PDB file of all heavy atoms in Angstrom:
ATOM      1  N   PHE A 157      83.755 -72.007 -71.450  1.00 98.00           N
ATOM      2  CA  PHE A 157      83.187 -73.370 -71.270  1.00 98.00           C
ATOM      3  C   PHE A 157      83.119 -74.061 -72.647  1.00 98.00           C
ATOM      4  O   PHE A 157      83.565 -75.224 -72.784  1.00 98.00           O
ATOM      5  CB  PHE A 157      81.833 -73.258 -70.638  1.00 98.00           C
ATOM      6  CG  PHE A 157      81.197 -74.599 -70.252  1.00 98.00           C
ATOM      7  CD1 PHE A 157      81.954 -75.770 -70.181  1.00 98.00           C
ATOM      8  CD2 PHE A 157      79.868 -74.667 -69.964  1.00 98.00           C
ATOM      9  CE1 PHE A 157      81.340 -76.989 -69.851  1.00 98.00           C
ATOM     10  CE2 PHE A 157      79.245 -75.899 -69.650  1.00 98.00           C
ATOM     11  CZ  PHE A 157      79.992 -77.047 -69.541  1.00 98.00           C
ATOM     12  N   ARG A 164      86.355 -82.404 -77.196  1.00 95.00           N
ATOM     13  CA  ARG A 164      86.006 -83.494 -76.256  1.00 95.00           C
ATOM     14  C   ARG A 164      84.546 -83.929 -76.505  1.00 95.00           C
ATOM     15  O   ARG A 164      84.318 -85.148 -76.513  1.00 95.00           O
ATOM     16  CB  ARG A 164      86.190 -82.989 -74.840  1.00 95.00           C
ATOM     17  CG  ARG A 164      87.587 -82.643 -74.409  1.00 95.00           C
ATOM     18  CD  ARG A 164      87.687 -82.228 -72.946  1.00 95.00           C
ATOM     19  NE  ARG A 164      89.074 -82.055 -72.559  1.00 95.00           N
ATOM     20  CZ  ARG A 164      89.681 -80.878 -72.465  1.00 95.00           C
ATOM     21  NH1 ARG A 164      88.992 -79.792 -72.809  1.00 95.00           N
ATOM     22  NH2 ARG A 164      90.911 -80.783 -72.091  1.00 95.00           N
ATOM     23  N   ASP A 165      83.681 -82.995 -76.649  1.00 97.00           N
ATOM     24  CA  ASP A 165      82.286 -83.201 -76.927  1.00 97.00           C
ATOM     25  C   ASP A 165      81.830 -82.165 -77.937  1.00 97.00           C
ATOM     26  O   ASP A 165      82.618 -81.406 -78.422  1.00 97.00           O
ATOM     27  CB  ASP A 165      81.435 -83.145 -75.639  1.00 97.00           C
ATOM     28  CG  ASP A 165      81.601 -84.345 -74.739  1.00 97.00           C
ATOM     29  OD1 ASP A 165      81.228 -85.452 -75.164  1.00 97.00           O
ATOM     30  OD2 ASP A 165      82.164 -84.238 -73.612  1.00 97.00           O
ATOM     31  N   ALA A 372      78.114 -80.361 -61.766  1.00 98.00           N
ATOM     32  CA  ALA A 372      79.029 -80.555 -62.862  1.00 98.00           C
ATOM     33  C   ALA A 372      78.269 -81.183 -64.032  1.00 98.00           C
ATOM     34  O   ALA A 372      77.326 -81.969 -63.793  1.00 98.00           O
ATOM     35  CB  ALA A 372      80.215 -81.395 -62.482  1.00 98.00           C
ATOM     36  N   THR A 373      78.678 -80.910 -65.253  1.00 98.00           N
ATOM     37  CA  THR A 373      78.122 -81.526 -66.430  1.00 98.00           C
ATOM     38  C   THR A 373      78.927 -82.817 -66.779  1.00 98.00           C
ATOM     39  O   THR A 373      80.145 -82.759 -66.910  1.00 98.00           O
ATOM     40  CB  THR A 373      78.167 -80.575 -67.626  1.00 98.00           C
ATOM     41  OG1 THR A 373      77.293 -79.481 -67.322  1.00 98.00           O
ATOM     42  CG2 THR A 373      77.653 -81.244 -68.905  1.00 98.00           C
ATOM     43  N   ILE A 379      83.939 -85.095 -67.232  1.00 98.00           N
ATOM     44  CA  ILE A 379      83.201 -84.360 -66.193  1.00 98.00           C
ATOM     45  C   ILE A 379      83.717 -82.921 -66.264  1.00 98.00           C
ATOM     46  O   ILE A 379      84.873 -82.688 -66.027  1.00 98.00           O
ATOM     47  CB  ILE A 379      83.412 -84.948 -64.776  1.00 98.00           C
ATOM     48  CG1 ILE A 379      82.848 -86.375 -64.699  1.00 98.00           C
ATOM     49  CG2 ILE A 379      82.737 -84.051 -63.737  1.00 98.00           C
ATOM     50  CD1 ILE A 379      83.068 -87.032 -63.389  1.00 98.00           C
ATOM     51  N   TYR A 380      82.843 -82.009 -66.577  1.00 98.00           N
ATOM     52  CA  TYR A 380      83.161 -80.542 -66.619  1.00 98.00           C
ATOM     53  C   TYR A 380      82.817 -80.026 -65.221  1.00 98.00           C
ATOM     54  O   TYR A 380      81.688 -79.746 -64.876  1.00 98.00           O
ATOM     55  CB  TYR A 380      82.422 -79.864 -67.706  1.00 98.00           C
ATOM     56  CG  TYR A 380      82.744 -80.459 -69.078  1.00 98.00           C
ATOM     57  CD1 TYR A 380      81.915 -81.418 -69.643  1.00 98.00           C
ATOM     58  CD2 TYR A 380      83.843 -80.045 -69.754  1.00 98.00           C
ATOM     59  CE1 TYR A 380      82.240 -81.972 -70.910  1.00 98.00           C
ATOM     60  CE2 TYR A 380      84.183 -80.596 -71.027  1.00 98.00           C
ATOM     61  CZ  TYR A 380      83.327 -81.546 -71.565  1.00 98.00           C
ATOM     62  OH  TYR A 380      83.651 -82.105 -72.815  1.00 98.00           O
ATOM     63  N   LEU A 381      83.872 -79.828 -64.383  1.00 98.00           N
ATOM     64  CA  LEU A 381      83.711 -79.569 -62.987  1.00 98.00           C
ATOM     65  C   LEU A 381      83.948 -78.075 -62.661  1.00 98.00           C
ATOM     66  O   LEU A 381      84.961 -77.509 -62.963  1.00 98.00           O
ATOM     67  CB  LEU A 381      84.758 -80.414 -62.207  1.00 98.00           C
ATOM     68  CG  LEU A 381      84.701 -80.362 -60.706  1.00 98.00           C
ATOM     69  CD1 LEU A 381      83.522 -81.154 -60.188  1.00 98.00           C
ATOM     70  CD2 LEU A 381      85.985 -80.824 -60.052  1.00 98.00           C
ATOM     71  N   PRO A 382      82.977 -77.468 -61.957  1.00 98.00           N
ATOM     72  CA  PRO A 382      83.140 -76.070 -61.615  1.00 98.00           C
ATOM     73  C   PRO A 382      84.165 -75.865 -60.518  1.00 98.00           C
ATOM     74  O   PRO A 382      84.220 -76.632 -59.520  1.00 98.00           O
ATOM     75  CB  PRO A 382      81.718 -75.689 -61.090  1.00 98.00           C
ATOM     76  CG  PRO A 382      81.163 -76.956 -60.566  1.00 98.00           C
ATOM     77  CD  PRO A 382      81.666 -77.986 -61.509  1.00 98.00           C
ATOM     78  N   ILE A 405      87.546 -82.023 -66.247  1.00 98.00           N
ATOM     79  CA  ILE A 405      87.981 -80.741 -66.833  1.00 98.00           C
ATOM     80  C   ILE A 405      87.581 -79.617 -65.962  1.00 98.00           C
ATOM     81  O   ILE A 405      86.397 -79.338 -65.775  1.00 98.00           O
ATOM     82  CB  ILE A 405      87.386 -80.607 -68.267  1.00 98.00           C
ATOM     83  CG1 ILE A 405      87.579 -81.870 -69.121  1.00 98.00           C
ATOM     84  CG2 ILE A 405      87.968 -79.387 -68.940  1.00 98.00           C
ATOM     85  CD1 ILE A 405      88.975 -82.308 -69.291  1.00 98.00           C
ATOM     86  N   VAL A 419      77.847 -74.956 -63.432  1.00 97.00           N
ATOM     87  CA  VAL A 419      78.109 -75.508 -64.746  1.00 97.00           C
ATOM     88  C   VAL A 419      76.933 -76.381 -65.272  1.00 97.00           C
ATOM     89  O   VAL A 419      76.480 -76.226 -66.425  1.00 97.00           O
ATOM     90  CB  VAL A 419      79.392 -76.317 -64.732  1.00 97.00           C
ATOM     91  CG1 VAL A 419      79.628 -77.091 -66.022  1.00 97.00           C
ATOM     92  CG2 VAL A 419      80.594 -75.398 -64.497  1.00 97.00           C
TER      93      VAL A 419
END
Side-chain angles (χ1 to χ4, degrees):
F157 186 17
R164 296 183 173 98
D165 286 294
T373 295
I379 296 177
Y380 300 95
L381 184 75
I405 312 303
V419 172

